[in-house]
Amino acid sequence: MTQMKIKKAVFPVAGLGTRFLPATKAMAKEMLPVVDKPIIQYAVEEAFEAGIEQIIFVTGRGKKALEDHFDRSFELERNLELKQKDELLVQIQSLVPKTGTIVYTRQNEPLGLGHAIWCARDIVGDEPFAVLLADDLVKSQKSVLTQMVDTFDRLRASIAAIMEVDADQTDKYGILDAEPMENSVVKIKDMIEKPDPSEAPSNYAIMGRYILTPRIFDFLGKKEKGAGGEIQLTDAMKALLEHQPVFGYKFKGERFDCGDKAGFQMANLAYSMEHPDIREKLLDYIRDSILK
Ligand code: G1P
């Protein structure tokens, strides 16, 4: 590992989005909008805010809209220009990062999150990197990844974002056995993917933000199947623990599970409240129709 600045971020975006069918039959789930931006754009903006210089999308079939979203659209730009919609034009143009900033690779088989990350190994190379799962959207003053990069600068080791979940929810997450270290940091002793509540070592769950040292690829490369018959990132991190310290970081912010219908609607509501023009109409509607 020759350098320690986090410059690359991996976005696993090959998932089929079955929980949102039929909406996701012909559309990538990452393109579902939270108010007026697709879910993926929030995560990409978060990465850039944290100083990331290269975005690595691990895609699959049916994700073309995602590539188009971050590319120029001359026809649309021309149209907005002619109609003098200058504000929109600037917004659309600012979506497109410099050539080469976004790299695409493909996960040819749906073998799990660990496998998706492993697919990016040659692009990441021998440097620490971030992983963002766009489904986990966090509303916060300072973005979660920025908080984690700051923490990485101090700890110089792999870190997973964590939060406490209800005890009956452990079978949805990677769960930690950990000991407190400092205010927001725990030192991970063990971790297990989606344990039954009766077997969970705690209610500290991993959320979709990670900073990983490149050593993780040694363990992902073993391609051992874990929970759900999939190659799990949690299992590779557990193996990494035997060789390097791994920490959990209790992030500051409100997390929305946009991979879940209720969580997705809550995210839309929370982000709508920040748009002055939507906020009042929505509040009126809630008062008049829902709370009556
Ligand atoms: C993945 C990880 C899990 C983590 C979760 C966070 O699970 O495997 O460890 O807790 O993301 O959202 P998934 O939601 O992809 O099943």
Side-chain angles (χ1 to χ4, degrees), residues 161-184:
I162 57 166
M163 68 182 269
E164 289 188 68
V165 294
D166 291 339
D168 62 352
Q169 297 291 303
T170 58
D171 56 357
K172 292 198 173 83
Y173 302 101
I175 300 290
L176 307 183
D177 181 7
E179 58 194 31
M181 228 189 69
E182 49 182 80
N183 239 343
S184 309

PDB file of all heavy atoms in Angstrom, residues 161-184:
ATOM      1  N   ALA A 161     -18.952   1.885   8.363  1.00  0.00           N
ATOM      2  CA  ALA A 161     -19.935   2.753   9.039  1.00  0.00           C
ATOM      3  C   ALA A 161     -20.908   1.851   9.792  1.00  0.00           C
ATOM      4  O   ALA A 161     -21.321   0.811   9.261  1.00  0.00           O
ATOM      5  CB  ALA A 161     -20.691   3.586   8.005  1.00  0.00           C
ATOM      6  N   ILE A 162     -21.237   2.231  11.006  1.00  0.00           N
ATOM      7  CA  ILE A 162     -22.145   1.382  11.779  1.00  0.00           C
ATOM      8  C   ILE A 162     -23.240   2.207  12.474  1.00  0.00           C
ATOM      9  O   ILE A 162     -23.074   3.409  12.691  1.00  0.00           O
ATOM     10  CB  ILE A 162     -21.403   0.566  12.863  1.00  0.00           C
ATOM     11  CG1 ILE A 162     -20.626   1.482  13.826  1.00  0.00           C
ATOM     12  CG2 ILE A 162     -20.476  -0.447  12.233  1.00  0.00           C
ATOM     13  CD1 ILE A 162     -20.170   0.774  15.095  1.00  0.00           C
ATOM     14  N   MET A 163     -24.335   1.532  12.793  1.00  0.00           N
ATOM     15  CA  MET A 163     -25.381   2.153  13.626  1.00  0.00           C
ATOM     16  C   MET A 163     -26.094   1.050  14.404  1.00  0.00           C
ATOM     17  O   MET A 163     -26.015  -0.126  14.023  1.00  0.00           O
ATOM     18  CB  MET A 163     -26.362   2.952  12.781  1.00  0.00           C
ATOM     19  CG  MET A 163     -27.234   2.149  11.865  1.00  0.00           C
ATOM     20  SD  MET A 163     -28.334   3.201  10.872  1.00  0.00           S
ATOM     21  CE  MET A 163     -29.770   3.274  11.925  1.00  0.00           C
ATOM     22  N   GLU A 164     -26.762   1.443  15.475  1.00  0.00           N
ATOM     23  CA  GLU A 164     -27.522   0.445  16.227  1.00  0.00           C
ATOM     24  C   GLU A 164     -28.845   0.211  15.527  1.00  0.00           C
ATOM     25  O   GLU A 164     -29.476   1.157  15.060  1.00  0.00           O
ATOM     26  CB  GLU A 164     -27.745   0.930  17.659  1.00  0.00           C
ATOM     27  CG  GLU A 164     -26.454   0.906  18.468  1.00  0.00           C
ATOM     28  CD  GLU A 164     -26.691   1.193  19.935  1.00  0.00           C
ATOM     29  OE1 GLU A 164     -27.316   0.359  20.615  1.00  0.00           O
ATOM     30  OE2 GLU A 164     -26.254   2.256  20.379  1.00  0.00           O
ATOM     31  N   VAL A 165     -29.268  -1.056  15.464  1.00  0.00           N
ATOM     32  CA  VAL A 165     -30.572  -1.374  14.870  1.00  0.00           C
ATOM     33  C   VAL A 165     -31.409  -2.120  15.915  1.00  0.00           C
ATOM     34  O   VAL A 165     -30.867  -2.604  16.914  1.00  0.00           O
ATOM     35  CB  VAL A 165     -30.431  -2.247  13.587  1.00  0.00           C
ATOM     36  CG1 VAL A 165     -29.729  -1.470  12.490  1.00  0.00           C
ATOM     37  CG2 VAL A 165     -29.717  -3.565  13.874  1.00  0.00           C
ATOM     38  N   ASP A 166     -32.716  -2.214  15.674  1.00  0.00           N
ATOM     39  CA  ASP A 166     -33.561  -2.969  16.604  1.00  0.00           C
ATOM     40  C   ASP A 166     -33.089  -4.425  16.619  1.00  0.00           C
ATOM     41  O   ASP A 166     -32.691  -4.972  15.574  1.00  0.00           O
ATOM     42  CB  ASP A 166     -35.029  -2.899  16.149  1.00  0.00           C
ATOM     43  CG  ASP A 166     -35.590  -1.493  16.324  1.00  0.00           C
ATOM     44  OD1 ASP A 166     -35.016  -0.717  17.122  1.00  0.00           O
ATOM     45  OD2 ASP A 166     -36.587  -1.173  15.640  1.00  0.00           O
ATOM     46  N   ALA A 167     -33.176  -5.023  17.799  1.00  0.00           N
ATOM     47  CA  ALA A 167     -32.641  -6.381  17.983  1.00  0.00           C
ATOM     48  C   ALA A 167     -33.254  -7.397  17.008  1.00  0.00           C
ATOM     49  O   ALA A 167     -32.597  -8.356  16.615  1.00  0.00           O
ATOM     50  CB  ALA A 167     -32.855  -6.823  19.419  1.00  0.00           C
ATOM     51  N   ASP A 168     -34.495  -7.156  16.575  1.00  0.00           N
ATOM     52  CA  ASP A 168     -35.113  -8.139  15.669  1.00  0.00           C
ATOM     53  C   ASP A 168     -34.772  -7.892  14.194  1.00  0.00           C
ATOM     54  O   ASP A 168     -35.303  -8.542  13.308  1.00  0.00           O
ATOM     55  CB  ASP A 168     -36.641  -8.144  15.872  1.00  0.00           C
ATOM     56  CG  ASP A 168     -37.260  -6.789  15.528  1.00  0.00           C
ATOM     57  OD1 ASP A 168     -36.504  -5.821  15.283  1.00  0.00           O
ATOM     58  OD2 ASP A 168     -38.509  -6.697  15.492  1.00  0.00           O
ATOM     59  N   GLN A 169     -33.863  -6.942  13.952  1.00  0.00           N
ATOM     60  CA  GLN A 169     -33.506  -6.594  12.565  1.00  0.00           C
ATOM     61  C   GLN A 169     -32.118  -7.113  12.155  1.00  0.00           C
ATOM     62  O   GLN A 169     -31.640  -6.812  11.065  1.00  0.00           O
ATOM     63  CB  GLN A 169     -33.508  -5.060  12.395  1.00  0.00           C
ATOM     64  CG  GLN A 169     -34.861  -4.412  12.609  1.00  0.00           C
ATOM     65  CD  GLN A 169     -35.825  -4.772  11.505  1.00  0.00           C
ATOM     66  OE1 GLN A 169     -35.564  -4.539  10.334  1.00  0.00           O
ATOM     67  NE2 GLN A 169     -36.932  -5.383  11.876  1.00  0.00           N
ATOM     68  N   THR A 170     -31.466  -7.852  13.058  1.00  0.00           N
ATOM     69  CA  THR A 170     -30.061  -8.222  12.776  1.00  0.00           C
ATOM     70  C   THR A 170     -29.913  -9.093  11.528  1.00  0.00           C
ATOM     71  O   THR A 170     -28.853  -9.094  10.909  1.00  0.00           O
ATOM     72  CB  THR A 170     -29.442  -8.965  13.978  1.00  0.00           C
ATOM     73  OG1 THR A 170     -30.248 -10.125  14.244  1.00  0.00           O
ATOM     74  CG2 THR A 170     -29.367  -8.081  15.214  1.00  0.00           C
ATOM     75  N   ASP A 171     -30.969  -9.805  11.161  1.00  0.00           N
ATOM     76  CA  ASP A 171     -30.836 -10.694   9.991  1.00  0.00           C
ATOM     77  C   ASP A 171     -30.897  -9.940   8.654  1.00  0.00           C
ATOM     78  O   ASP A 171     -30.949 -10.545   7.586  1.00  0.00           O
ATOM     79  CB  ASP A 171     -31.887 -11.822  10.027  1.00  0.00           C
ATOM     80  CG  ASP A 171     -33.301 -11.282  10.113  1.00  0.00           C
ATOM     81  OD1 ASP A 171     -33.474 -10.042  10.202  1.00  0.00           O
ATOM     82  OD2 ASP A 171     -34.249 -12.096  10.092  1.00  0.00           O
ATOM     83  N   LYS A 172     -30.839  -8.601   8.735  1.00  0.00           N
ATOM     84  CA  LYS A 172     -30.801  -7.800   7.491  1.00  0.00           C
ATOM     85  C   LYS A 172     -29.409  -7.213   7.257  1.00  0.00           C
ATOM     86  O   LYS A 172     -29.178  -6.572   6.235  1.00  0.00           O
ATOM     87  CB  LYS A 172     -31.781  -6.623   7.603  1.00  0.00           C
ATOM     88  CG  LYS A 172     -33.229  -7.009   7.632  1.00  0.00           C
ATOM     89  CD  LYS A 172     -34.067  -5.767   7.293  1.00  0.00           C
ATOM     90  CE  LYS A 172     -35.521  -6.070   7.138  1.00  0.00           C
ATOM     91  NZ  LYS A 172     -36.258  -6.125   8.398  1.00  0.00           N
ATOM     92  N   TYR A 173     -28.517  -7.353   8.232  1.00  0.00           N
ATOM     93  CA  TYR A 173     -27.248  -6.609   8.179  1.00  0.00           C
ATOM     94  C   TYR A 173     -26.037  -7.464   8.550  1.00  0.00           C
ATOM     95  O   TYR A 173     -26.176  -8.533   9.127  1.00  0.00           O
ATOM     96  CB  TYR A 173     -27.304  -5.449   9.191  1.00  0.00           C
ATOM     97  CG  TYR A 173     -28.428  -4.492   8.961  1.00  0.00           C
ATOM     98  CD1 TYR A 173     -29.587  -4.558   9.727  1.00  0.00           C
ATOM     99  CD2 TYR A 173     -28.351  -3.518   7.957  1.00  0.00           C
ATOM    100  CE1 TYR A 173     -30.635  -3.674   9.521  1.00  0.00           C
ATOM    101  CE2 TYR A 173     -29.400  -2.640   7.746  1.00  0.00           C
ATOM    102  CZ  TYR A 173     -30.541  -2.721   8.523  1.00  0.00           C
ATOM    103  OH  TYR A 173     -31.585  -1.848   8.313  1.00  0.00           O
ATOM    104  N   GLY A 174     -24.853  -6.894   8.279  1.00  0.00           N
ATOM    105  CA  GLY A 174     -23.627  -7.417   8.851  1.00  0.00           C
ATOM    106  C   GLY A 174     -23.586  -6.901  10.284  1.00  0.00           C
ATOM    107  O   GLY A 174     -23.791  -5.709  10.521  1.00  0.00           O
ATOM    108  N   ILE A 175     -23.369  -7.798  11.250  1.00  0.00           N
ATOM    109  CA  ILE A 175     -23.441  -7.423  12.672  1.00  0.00           C
ATOM    110  C   ILE A 175     -22.070  -7.620  13.336  1.00  0.00           C
ATOM    111  O   ILE A 175     -21.345  -8.576  13.029  1.00  0.00           O
ATOM    112  CB  ILE A 175     -24.524  -8.268  13.387  1.00  0.00           C
ATOM    113  CG1 ILE A 175     -25.897  -8.032  12.751  1.00  0.00           C
ATOM    114  CG2 ILE A 175     -24.563  -7.991  14.893  1.00  0.00           C
ATOM    115  CD1 ILE A 175     -26.526  -6.662  12.980  1.00  0.00           C
ATOM    116  N   LEU A 176     -21.751  -6.699  14.249  1.00  0.00           N
ATOM    117  CA  LEU A 176     -20.418  -6.696  14.858  1.00  0.00           C
ATOM    118  C   LEU A 176     -20.403  -7.243  16.274  1.00  0.00           C
ATOM    119  O   LEU A 176     -21.355  -7.064  17.026  1.00  0.00           O
ATOM    120  CB  LEU A 176     -19.901  -5.252  14.984  1.00  0.00           C
ATOM    121  CG  LEU A 176     -19.892  -4.359  13.775  1.00  0.00           C
ATOM    122  CD1 LEU A 176     -19.255  -3.033  14.165  1.00  0.00           C
ATOM    123  CD2 LEU A 176     -19.143  -5.008  12.632  1.00  0.00           C
ATOM    124  N   ASP A 177     -19.260  -7.824  16.604  1.00  0.00           N
ATOM    125  CA  ASP A 177     -18.888  -8.009  18.002  1.00  0.00           C
ATOM    126  C   ASP A 177     -17.716  -7.036  18.156  1.00  0.00           C
ATOM    127  O   ASP A 177     -16.703  -7.168  17.460  1.00  0.00           O
ATOM    128  CB  ASP A 177     -18.451  -9.459  18.228  1.00  0.00           C
ATOM    129  CG  ASP A 177     -18.081  -9.696  19.681  1.00  0.00           C
ATOM    130  OD1 ASP A 177     -18.294  -8.783  20.514  1.00  0.00           O
ATOM    131  OD2 ASP A 177     -17.572 -10.794  19.985  1.00  0.00           O
ATOM    132  N   ALA A 178     -17.878  -6.035  19.010  1.00  0.00           N
ATOM    133  CA  ALA A 178     -16.862  -4.978  19.032  1.00  0.00           C
ATOM    134  C   ALA A 178     -16.680  -4.420  20.434  1.00  0.00           C
ATOM    135  O   ALA A 178     -17.557  -4.570  21.284  1.00  0.00           O
ATOM    136  CB  ALA A 178     -17.291  -3.849  18.099  1.00  0.00           C
ATOM    137  N   GLU A 179     -15.515  -3.795  20.655  1.00  0.00           N
ATOM    138  CA  GLU A 179     -15.315  -3.127  21.944  1.00  0.00           C
ATOM    139  C   GLU A 179     -15.113  -1.626  21.727  1.00  0.00           C
ATOM    140  O   GLU A 179     -14.502  -1.219  20.731  1.00  0.00           O
ATOM    141  CB  GLU A 179     -14.125  -3.733  22.695  1.00  0.00           C
ATOM    142  CG  GLU A 179     -12.828  -3.685  21.936  1.00  0.00           C
ATOM    143  CD  GLU A 179     -11.770  -4.583  22.566  1.00  0.00           C
ATOM    144  OE1 GLU A 179     -12.161  -5.620  23.149  1.00  0.00           O
ATOM    145  OE2 GLU A 179     -10.581  -4.244  22.458  1.00  0.00           O
ATOM    146  N   PRO A 180     -15.665  -0.790  22.643  1.00  0.00           N
ATOM    147  CA  PRO A 180     -15.557   0.655  22.465  1.00  0.00           C
ATOM    148  C   PRO A 180     -14.102   1.103  22.490  1.00  0.00           C
ATOM    149  O   PRO A 180     -13.287   0.514  23.205  1.00  0.00           O
ATOM    150  CB  PRO A 180     -16.299   1.231  23.668  1.00  0.00           C
ATOM    151  CG  PRO A 180     -16.776   0.090  24.472  1.00  0.00           C
ATOM    152  CD  PRO A 180     -16.338  -1.183  23.871  1.00  0.00           C
ATOM    153  N   MET A 181     -13.782   2.108  21.681  1.00  0.00           N
ATOM    154  CA  MET A 181     -12.405   2.581  21.637  1.00  0.00           C
ATOM    155  C   MET A 181     -12.325   4.059  21.990  1.00  0.00           C
ATOM    156  O   MET A 181     -11.714   4.487  22.913  1.00  0.00           O
ATOM    157  CB  MET A 181     -11.862   2.368  20.240  1.00  0.00           C
ATOM    158  CG  MET A 181     -10.505   1.709  20.245  1.00  0.00           C
ATOM    159  SD  MET A 181      -9.802   1.729  18.622  1.00  0.00           S
ATOM    160  CE  MET A 181      -9.436   3.425  18.340  1.00  0.00           C
ATOM    161  N   GLU A 182     -12.998   4.859  21.193  1.00  0.00           N
ATOM    162  CA  GLU A 182     -13.119   6.284  21.496  1.00  0.00           C
ATOM    163  C   GLU A 182     -14.555   6.667  21.145  1.00  0.00           C
ATOM    164  O   GLU A 182     -15.308   5.818  20.649  1.00  0.00           O
ATOM    165  CB  GLU A 182     -12.094   7.102  20.719  1.00  0.00           C
ATOM    166  CG  GLU A 182     -12.059   6.753  19.250  1.00  0.00           C
ATOM    167  CD  GLU A 182     -11.001   7.528  18.469  1.00  0.00           C
ATOM    168  OE1 GLU A 182      -9.819   7.174  18.511  1.00  0.00           O
ATOM    169  OE2 GLU A 182     -11.407   8.491  17.808  1.00  0.00           O
ATOM    170  N   ASN A 183     -14.891   7.916  21.372  1.00  0.00           N
ATOM    171  CA  ASN A 183     -16.246   8.395  21.180  1.00  0.00           C
ATOM    172  C   ASN A 183     -17.096   7.686  20.124  1.00  0.00           C
ATOM    173  O   ASN A 183     -18.068   7.048  20.422  1.00  0.00           O
ATOM    174  CB  ASN A 183     -16.173   9.877  20.822  1.00  0.00           C
ATOM    175  CG  ASN A 183     -16.931  10.669  21.840  1.00  0.00           C
ATOM    176  OD1 ASN A 183     -17.734  10.084  22.584  1.00  0.00           O
ATOM    177  ND2 ASN A 183     -16.698  11.965  21.889  1.00  0.00           N
ATOM    178  N   SER A 184     -16.681   7.796  18.854  1.00  0.00           N
ATOM    179  CA  SER A 184     -17.514   7.268  17.770  1.00  0.00           C
ATOM    180  C   SER A 184     -16.920   6.008  17.149  1.00  0.00           C
ATOM    181  O   SER A 184     -17.404   5.560  16.119  1.00  0.00           O
ATOM    182  CB  SER A 184     -17.656   8.314  16.674  1.00  0.00           C
ATOM    183  OG  SER A 184     -18.053   9.524  17.209  1.00  0.00           O
TER     184      SER A 184
END
